[in-house]
Amino acid sequence: MSLALDDRDRSILSGAAGDGAALAMRLVVRTAEVLGAERLIPITRAHVDSCLYHGEATIDFAERLIHGGAQVTVPTTLNVGGVDLLHPELWRGDPVIAERGRLLMGHYRSLGCQPTYTCAPYQLADARPSFGEQVAWAESNAIVFCNSVLGARTERYGDFTDIACAITGRVPDAGLHRTDARRAVLVLRLGPDVPAALLEDDSLYPVLGIVLGRRAGSRVGVVAGLPSGLSEERLKALGAAAASSGAVAMFHAIGSTPEAPTLDAALQGREPEEVLQVGMAELRSAHDELTTAQGGAPPETPIGTVSLGTPHASLGELRAVERELAGARPAPGVELLVSTARTLLAEAEGEGLAGRLRSLGVELLVDTCSYIAPILRPSPLPAMTDSGKWAFYAPGNIGVEVVFGSLRECVRSAVEGRVWRDADVWGTA
């Protein structure tokens, strides 16, 4: 099987569009050969993760594209960078690293990318692809949301390949771009011991995502037993956690995701490779593992930080924080930080929501994320989060001990300055 290129592809590859575009096409062609694709297909938009500084190689690569005259040829949004460009005072690390991060973010703007700097581009009205649209998205949670919740089609594109696809406007005709690869091969059934009250609690969805990621690996799974019509926030939390504990790029939830109106539709009329049941013991174990603080952080454990908005908070989630605060402020010495997209922050500013949150002591972070950048105030106390992804990565990335809880538990704990648990949901664990 060999890769067939059309006249446009061959022209770019030959250097007719410049050295930068030729380099990008070589990357796309090599990726296609590795995947065994027979052709390249056009895309309508891209989301690029390469703008996050990971060392000088990331700057060298971007500068090679710039010096080669490259420009993106499809609308392209940018994922988070290393620093908050609107609130630089929140950076608490090496100023040299911050400057290199800013430089790289600027390089991607000069390639024609839109400076959105968000890990949740699907929350931006102008960036959401339609059902069936072929795109090239990077950032694990964005990929899984794109495929699963929007029904648009992308493979898992990583750094460098993402911008190469944006410049060439092409992707390999392989993987999740193809209908057959989107078939669920794993059925994950919730057991009869999972109580109805837990299904209505937001904290279930990141926990279930951790379980799905471990069970599915890189396979497409379908979850059976959830309520239909799940909110985008719950599907976002489920997918982000699944893409953290596993290599999940797509899942189906019966009655909630567009390619799974029924179990048979998700399976594309075929038999699954495996059917697994998930009961309360496994869910409780996953829930408890997301807390790394000493002793499992029982109620009354002092906390130093509450970090929300991973992936970036939607307007609905910002409103939920205000609602849960109900006029109260974090306890003295406790930092309550919410990450969101700069576009959504502007909307929140316009409706007065951002000002009200700040007046209650909430810090708002944009352009980056608190588990990849030195943002949190120094504290010997653990940090609390409602995000399975943040809980999964923060201990290794920034060296903090974590307490996992629902949004309600996080906000109330911030106000009290110590861990508060809703015993009616998971008990007091």
Side-chain angles (χ1 to χ4, degrees), residues 115-135:
T116 48
Y117 303 128
T118 179
C119 59
Y122 43 84
Q123 293 174 168
L124 310 181
D126 294 341
R128 285 170 68 102
S130 304
F131 181 86
E133 197 172 330
Q134 298 282 6
V135 302

Side-chain angles (χ1 to χ4, degrees), residues 148-400:
S148 310
V149 183
L150 301 181
R153 299 187 174 197
T154 181
E155 254 299 307
R156 286 174 60 96
Y157 293 105
D159 288 11
F160 304 161
T161 307
D162 51 9
I163 185 65
C165 295
I167 291 168
T168 61
R170 292 286 197 274
V171 293
D173 183 19
L176 293 171
H177 291 289
R178 299 177 63 87
T179 299
D180 55 346
R182 302 172 70 83
R183 177 176 71 89
V185 296
L186 167 69
V187 177
L188 210 62
R189 292 187 185 280
L190 292 183
D193 62 337
V194 179
L198 185 57
L199 299 177
E200 298 302 325
D201 193 86
D202 290 341
S203 66
L204 168 68
Y205 295 89
V207 171
L208 180 59
I210 292 292
V211 172
L212 172 62
R214 289 175 177 166
R215 293 291 195 123
S218 61
R219 295 182 294 175
V220 177
V222 54
V223 183
L226 292 170
S228 61
L230 291 173
S231 69
E232 287 199 357
E233 281 79 8
R234 288 179 173 178
L235 293 169
K236 176 177 76 168
L238 197 164
S244 301
S245 63
V248 172
M250 181 176 185
F251 72 91
H252 301 282
I254 297 172
S256 294
T257 55
E259 292 170 63
T262 64
L263 176 61
D264 189 61
L267 295 169
Q268 294 183 12
R270 298 168 62 182
E271 292 297 317
E273 295 174 357
E274 190 174 19
V275 178
L276 299 171
Q277 182 165 292
V278 177
M280 274 307 294
E282 185 171 4
L283 290 172
R284 183 175 294 282
S285 175
H287 173 269
D288 294 349
E289 288 173 23
L290 288 174
T291 293
T292 62
Q294 187 173 18
E300 303 300 318
T301 300
I303 57 171
T305 305
V306 170
S307 181
L308 308 172
T310 304
H312 278 168
S314 65
L315 280 174
E317 289 168 319
L318 290 173
R319 295 184 187 113
V321 172
E322 181 186 35
R323 189 165 56 248
E324 292 294 341
L325 279 169
R329 297 175 60 87
V334 175
E335 178 181 29
L336 175 52
L337 182 76
V338 184
S339 303
T340 190
R342 57 168 53 200
T343 304
L344 297 186
L345 176 62
E347 292 184 39
E349 300 275 15
E351 66 178 65
L353 173 61
R356 294 195 300 273
L357 288 170
R358 290 195 187 97
S359 72
L360 294 172
V362 178
E363 291 181 3
L364 297 171
L365 177 72
V366 299
D367 296 344
T368 188
C369 191
S370 59
Y371 77 88
I372 59 173
I375 298 294
L376 301 185
R377 298 176 194 166
S379 173
L381 299 174
M384 195 165 182
T385 185
D386 65 339
S387 165
K389 180 173 185 175
W390 202 95
F392 191 85
Y393 287 119
N397 282 6
I398 59 173
V400 298

Side-chain angles (χ1 to χ4, degrees), residues 7-26 68-69:
D7 291 343
R8 178 183 179 276
D9 299 334
R10 283 193 294 272
S11 175
I12 295 173
L13 194 59
S14 71
D19 292 342
L23 169 61
M25 184 57 87
R26 287 200 296 275

